Amino acid sequence: MPQNQAMVGEKIIIQVFHGTSYSKFDSLKKNNFLKSTGIEHERYLGDGAYFFCDGVPPKPSISAEKWAIAEAWDNDNFRYKYLEYCVVEAKVELDQSKFLDLTSWDGIEIFNYFRDKYVGKLRKAGRQLSRGELKDGHVINEAIKSSAIEVEAVKGNYFFKFKDERIVKAQFTTPNCTIIAVRNTDCILKESIKIFLKNRISK
Amino acid sequence: MKLSDIKDKIDAYFDSVSPIEIVKRFEALGYEFEEIEEDNYVELHASKINRGYKPFSNQKGRKVSTISAEIQGVQSKIEFLEVQQISSDPAFTSEQFKGNYGFAMAA
């Protein structure tokens, strides 16, 4: 079992980290994290509130800080959207039977079962993609919705582009972080939300 | 979460939905499809394999797994033995084990 993860009966409690603008912290603390459905999430684990958690090195708090810095940059207007950033720490409590862990053999077996089903259906329909490529997040969203499976959170290992990777336009397949998408935000323990680190980007 | 816990739900859904319905669901997400011009679709036979294996720890020195399947018209049956028996039983050498395993891979 990874560090910062504990089993309590049928529940798993995972410590998670989220990097963002410091100005957003009060709202997060007051209203909790929101499940988002943005286009960026299609590439990863589908809908959910996204966090870094323990798994692939480096530590999730380091990845969260890198993310806060990378996301501060507005590449359209060539300026920082914010200078003060923070890493928010929280705990997530999940029902073990509703946790899709794609870093485990069991989780990958489930995902690949779905993937084979979808690819097989498309093949039987005699159709191929003419534009775009099937994304993990869409398969996960579709699979959960269609099969009426209750999933509170999905975890996976991915390669993320942080500031330096974006600058040098690096693209790798070996993961550099472990992320978790919490689909049921009620699983985020509100009282556990606190600032782990606050800092300022030096221009 | 394990596949065995939810497999029935998944199968029920995919058995109930047609291939074209799946295409439409993905089109609604923004994907575009075109017909495959030369479709030489071959259904996998390995998916029909009957796995009847038992835990290794309970079957020391005995047959622990039997896999049978009809692959490309040939009925095949492969029996796996616990490794300790293979090394000590002259009647079933590791070379034979490799041979059988190799057959499984080739089939």
Side-chain angles (χ1 to χ4, degrees), chain A residues 88-105:
Chain A
V88 181
E89 175 188 351
K91 285 190 170 66
V92 179
E93 188 178 78
L94 306 167
D95 189 325
Q96 199 180 339
S97 65
K98 296 172 185 170
F99 177 37
L100 178 54
D101 183 358
L102 300 181
T103 68
S104 74
W105 179 279

PDB file of all heavy atoms in Angstrom, chain A residues 88-105:
ATOM      1  N   VAL A  88      -2.692  22.830  -1.590  1.00  0.00           N
ATOM      2  CA  VAL A  88      -3.737  22.496  -0.620  1.00  0.00           C
ATOM      3  C   VAL A  88      -3.687  20.996  -0.344  1.00  0.00           C
ATOM      4  O   VAL A  88      -3.568  20.188  -1.273  1.00  0.00           O
ATOM      5  CB  VAL A  88      -5.132  22.880  -1.169  1.00  0.00           C
ATOM      6  CG1 VAL A  88      -6.218  22.562  -0.152  1.00  0.00           C
ATOM      7  CG2 VAL A  88      -5.155  24.344  -1.565  1.00  0.00           C
ATOM      8  N   GLU A  89      -3.757  20.680   0.934  1.00  0.00           N
ATOM      9  CA  GLU A  89      -3.736  19.271   1.357  1.00  0.00           C
ATOM     10  C   GLU A  89      -5.142  18.880   1.801  1.00  0.00           C
ATOM     11  O   GLU A  89      -5.871  19.694   2.375  1.00  0.00           O
ATOM     12  CB  GLU A  89      -2.750  19.145   2.530  1.00  0.00           C
ATOM     13  CG  GLU A  89      -2.693  17.787   3.161  1.00  0.00           C
ATOM     14  CD  GLU A  89      -1.841  17.802   4.441  1.00  0.00           C
ATOM     15  OE1 GLU A  89      -1.169  18.825   4.714  1.00  0.00           O
ATOM     16  OE2 GLU A  89      -1.875  16.801   5.160  1.00  0.00           O
ATOM     17  N   ALA A  90      -5.530  17.663   1.527  1.00  0.00           N
ATOM     18  CA  ALA A  90      -6.842  17.178   1.988  1.00  0.00           C
ATOM     19  C   ALA A  90      -6.800  15.665   2.143  1.00  0.00           C
ATOM     20  O   ALA A  90      -5.840  15.012   1.715  1.00  0.00           O
ATOM     21  CB  ALA A  90      -7.932  17.570   0.995  1.00  0.00           C
ATOM     22  N   LYS A  91      -7.820  15.126   2.732  1.00  0.00           N
ATOM     23  CA  LYS A  91      -7.959  13.669   2.844  1.00  0.00           C
ATOM     24  C   LYS A  91      -9.245  13.235   2.141  1.00  0.00           C
ATOM     25  O   LYS A  91     -10.258  13.935   2.207  1.00  0.00           O
ATOM     26  CB  LYS A  91      -7.979  13.236   4.305  1.00  0.00           C
ATOM     27  CG  LYS A  91      -6.601  13.289   4.958  1.00  0.00           C
ATOM     28  CD  LYS A  91      -6.612  12.630   6.320  1.00  0.00           C
ATOM     29  CE  LYS A  91      -5.200  12.469   6.870  1.00  0.00           C
ATOM     30  NZ  LYS A  91      -4.550  13.740   7.156  1.00  0.00           N
ATOM     31  N   VAL A  92      -9.145  12.107   1.475  1.00  0.00           N
ATOM     32  CA  VAL A  92     -10.285  11.569   0.740  1.00  0.00           C
ATOM     33  C   VAL A  92     -10.621  10.204   1.332  1.00  0.00           C
ATOM     34  O   VAL A  92      -9.731   9.371   1.507  1.00  0.00           O
ATOM     35  CB  VAL A  92      -9.926  11.419  -0.756  1.00  0.00           C
ATOM     36  CG1 VAL A  92     -11.086  10.831  -1.531  1.00  0.00           C
ATOM     37  CG2 VAL A  92      -9.514  12.749  -1.357  1.00  0.00           C
ATOM     38  N   GLU A  93     -11.893  10.000   1.660  1.00  0.00           N
ATOM     39  CA  GLU A  93     -12.320   8.720   2.232  1.00  0.00           C
ATOM     40  C   GLU A  93     -13.201   7.989   1.222  1.00  0.00           C
ATOM     41  O   GLU A  93     -14.254   8.496   0.824  1.00  0.00           O
ATOM     42  CB  GLU A  93     -13.097   8.947   3.530  1.00  0.00           C
ATOM     43  CG  GLU A  93     -13.408   7.659   4.270  1.00  0.00           C
ATOM     44  CD  GLU A  93     -14.143   7.925   5.577  1.00  0.00           C
ATOM     45  OE1 GLU A  93     -15.355   8.186   5.530  1.00  0.00           O
ATOM     46  OE2 GLU A  93     -13.499   7.865   6.631  1.00  0.00           O
ATOM     47  N   LEU A  94     -12.735   6.825   0.795  1.00  0.00           N
ATOM     48  CA  LEU A  94     -13.415   6.108  -0.284  1.00  0.00           C
ATOM     49  C   LEU A  94     -13.837   4.723   0.153  1.00  0.00           C
ATOM     50  O   LEU A  94     -13.132   4.061   0.921  1.00  0.00           O
ATOM     51  CB  LEU A  94     -12.474   5.971  -1.490  1.00  0.00           C
ATOM     52  CG  LEU A  94     -11.857   7.257  -2.038  1.00  0.00           C
ATOM     53  CD1 LEU A  94     -10.729   6.930  -2.990  1.00  0.00           C
ATOM     54  CD2 LEU A  94     -12.915   8.088  -2.738  1.00  0.00           C
ATOM     55  N   ASP A  95     -14.948   4.295  -0.394  1.00  0.00           N
ATOM     56  CA  ASP A  95     -15.375   2.909  -0.217  1.00  0.00           C
ATOM     57  C   ASP A  95     -14.502   2.051  -1.142  1.00  0.00           C
ATOM     58  O   ASP A  95     -14.430   2.313  -2.350  1.00  0.00           O
ATOM     59  CB  ASP A  95     -16.856   2.793  -0.608  1.00  0.00           C
ATOM     60  CG  ASP A  95     -17.434   1.444  -0.245  1.00  0.00           C
ATOM     61  OD1 ASP A  95     -16.702   0.438  -0.335  1.00  0.00           O
ATOM     62  OD2 ASP A  95     -18.612   1.393   0.114  1.00  0.00           O
ATOM     63  N   GLN A  96     -13.861   1.060  -0.590  1.00  0.00           N
ATOM     64  CA  GLN A  96     -12.917   0.240  -1.355  1.00  0.00           C
ATOM     65  C   GLN A  96     -13.554  -0.356  -2.614  1.00  0.00           C
ATOM     66  O   GLN A  96     -12.904  -0.465  -3.655  1.00  0.00           O
ATOM     67  CB  GLN A  96     -12.408  -0.889  -0.453  1.00  0.00           C
ATOM     68  CG  GLN A  96     -11.124  -1.517  -0.939  1.00  0.00           C
ATOM     69  CD  GLN A  96     -10.670  -2.627  -0.010  1.00  0.00           C
ATOM     70  OE1 GLN A  96     -11.071  -2.683   1.144  1.00  0.00           O
ATOM     71  NE2 GLN A  96      -9.835  -3.510  -0.506  1.00  0.00           N
ATOM     72  N   SER A  97     -14.827  -0.710  -2.510  1.00  0.00           N
ATOM     73  CA  SER A  97     -15.505  -1.341  -3.650  1.00  0.00           C
ATOM     74  C   SER A  97     -15.944  -0.328  -4.708  1.00  0.00           C
ATOM     75  O   SER A  97     -16.456  -0.703  -5.755  1.00  0.00           O
ATOM     76  CB  SER A  97     -16.726  -2.119  -3.165  1.00  0.00           C
ATOM     77  OG  SER A  97     -17.676  -1.224  -2.631  1.00  0.00           O
ATOM     78  N   LYS A  98     -15.724   0.967  -4.416  1.00  0.00           N
ATOM     79  CA  LYS A  98     -16.111   2.006  -5.382  1.00  0.00           C
ATOM     80  C   LYS A  98     -14.898   2.825  -5.818  1.00  0.00           C
ATOM     81  O   LYS A  98     -15.030   3.972  -6.244  1.00  0.00           O
ATOM     82  CB  LYS A  98     -17.175   2.927  -4.757  1.00  0.00           C
ATOM     83  CG  LYS A  98     -18.468   2.203  -4.436  1.00  0.00           C
ATOM     84  CD  LYS A  98     -19.420   3.086  -3.645  1.00  0.00           C
ATOM     85  CE  LYS A  98     -20.657   2.284  -3.234  1.00  0.00           C
ATOM     86  NZ  LYS A  98     -21.491   3.020  -2.277  1.00  0.00           N
ATOM     87  N   PHE A  99     -13.731   2.234  -5.651  1.00  0.00           N
ATOM     88  CA  PHE A  99     -12.473   2.921  -5.967  1.00  0.00           C
ATOM     89  C   PHE A  99     -11.803   2.195  -7.133  1.00  0.00           C
ATOM     90  O   PHE A  99     -11.364   1.054  -6.991  1.00  0.00           O
ATOM     91  CB  PHE A  99     -11.575   2.914  -4.726  1.00  0.00           C
ATOM     92  CG  PHE A  99     -10.219   3.533  -4.933  1.00  0.00           C
ATOM     93  CD1 PHE A  99     -10.032   4.640  -5.743  1.00  0.00           C
ATOM     94  CD2 PHE A  99      -9.108   3.007  -4.279  1.00  0.00           C
ATOM     95  CE1 PHE A  99      -8.785   5.202  -5.919  1.00  0.00           C
ATOM     96  CE2 PHE A  99      -7.853   3.560  -4.438  1.00  0.00           C
ATOM     97  CZ  PHE A  99      -7.692   4.660  -5.259  1.00  0.00           C
ATOM     98  N   LEU A 100     -11.747   2.852  -8.276  1.00  0.00           N
ATOM     99  CA  LEU A 100     -11.112   2.272  -9.460  1.00  0.00           C
ATOM    100  C   LEU A 100      -9.645   2.706  -9.482  1.00  0.00           C
ATOM    101  O   LEU A 100      -9.337   3.857  -9.801  1.00  0.00           O
ATOM    102  CB  LEU A 100     -11.846   2.738 -10.724  1.00  0.00           C
ATOM    103  CG  LEU A 100     -11.300   2.263 -12.071  1.00  0.00           C
ATOM    104  CD1 LEU A 100     -11.167   0.757 -12.129  1.00  0.00           C
ATOM    105  CD2 LEU A 100     -12.203   2.758 -13.207  1.00  0.00           C
ATOM    106  N   ASP A 101      -8.768   1.782  -9.133  1.00  0.00           N
ATOM    107  CA  ASP A 101      -7.347   2.098  -9.000  1.00  0.00           C
ATOM    108  C   ASP A 101      -6.590   1.564 -10.220  1.00  0.00           C
ATOM    109  O   ASP A 101      -6.263   0.378 -10.294  1.00  0.00           O
ATOM    110  CB  ASP A 101      -6.805   1.459  -7.710  1.00  0.00           C
ATOM    111  CG  ASP A 101      -5.345   1.811  -7.477  1.00  0.00           C
ATOM    112  OD1 ASP A 101      -4.740   2.506  -8.328  1.00  0.00           O
ATOM    113  OD2 ASP A 101      -4.803   1.395  -6.433  1.00  0.00           O
ATOM    114  N   LEU A 102      -6.309   2.456 -11.152  1.00  0.00           N
ATOM    115  CA  LEU A 102      -5.635   2.047 -12.387  1.00  0.00           C
ATOM    116  C   LEU A 102      -4.128   1.892 -12.204  1.00  0.00           C
ATOM    117  O   LEU A 102      -3.404   1.668 -13.182  1.00  0.00           O
ATOM    118  CB  LEU A 102      -5.937   3.044 -13.511  1.00  0.00           C
ATOM    119  CG  LEU A 102      -7.409   3.205 -13.872  1.00  0.00           C
ATOM    120  CD1 LEU A 102      -7.581   4.195 -15.023  1.00  0.00           C
ATOM    121  CD2 LEU A 102      -8.039   1.868 -14.243  1.00  0.00           C
ATOM    122  N   THR A 103      -3.653   2.026 -10.976  1.00  0.00           N
ATOM    123  CA  THR A 103      -2.242   1.711 -10.702  1.00  0.00           C
ATOM    124  C   THR A 103      -2.132   0.261 -10.215  1.00  0.00           C
ATOM    125  O   THR A 103      -1.040  -0.214  -9.953  1.00  0.00           O
ATOM    126  CB  THR A 103      -1.628   2.647  -9.642  1.00  0.00           C
ATOM    127  OG1 THR A 103      -2.225   2.375  -8.377  1.00  0.00           O
ATOM    128  CG2 THR A 103      -1.839   4.104  -9.998  1.00  0.00           C
ATOM    129  N   SER A 104      -3.262  -0.415 -10.083  1.00  0.00           N
ATOM    130  CA  SER A 104      -3.254  -1.799  -9.601  1.00  0.00           C
ATOM    131  C   SER A 104      -3.641  -2.759 -10.726  1.00  0.00           C
ATOM    132  O   SER A 104      -4.271  -2.357 -11.718  1.00  0.00           O
ATOM    133  CB  SER A 104      -4.250  -1.972  -8.444  1.00  0.00           C
ATOM    134  OG  SER A 104      -5.582  -1.958  -8.943  1.00  0.00           O
ATOM    135  N   TRP A 105      -3.276  -4.007 -10.539  1.00  0.00           N
ATOM    136  CA  TRP A 105      -3.631  -5.056 -11.516  1.00  0.00           C
ATOM    137  C   TRP A 105      -5.139  -5.123 -11.698  1.00  0.00           C
ATOM    138  O   TRP A 105      -5.646  -5.194 -12.820  1.00  0.00           O
ATOM    139  CB  TRP A 105      -3.065  -6.390 -11.008  1.00  0.00           C
ATOM    140  CG  TRP A 105      -3.365  -7.548 -11.900  1.00  0.00           C
ATOM    141  CD1 TRP A 105      -4.531  -8.269 -11.973  1.00  0.00           C
ATOM    142  CD2 TRP A 105      -2.494  -8.121 -12.880  1.00  0.00           C
ATOM    143  NE1 TRP A 105      -4.425  -9.251 -12.912  1.00  0.00           N
ATOM    144  CE2 TRP A 105      -3.186  -9.197 -13.483  1.00  0.00           C
ATOM    145  CE3 TRP A 105      -1.181  -7.843 -13.274  1.00  0.00           C
ATOM    146  CZ2 TRP A 105      -2.613  -9.971 -14.480  1.00  0.00           C
ATOM    147  CZ3 TRP A 105      -0.609  -8.626 -14.271  1.00  0.00           C
ATOM    148  CH2 TRP A 105      -1.319  -9.668 -14.857  1.00  0.00           C
TER     149      TRP A 105
END
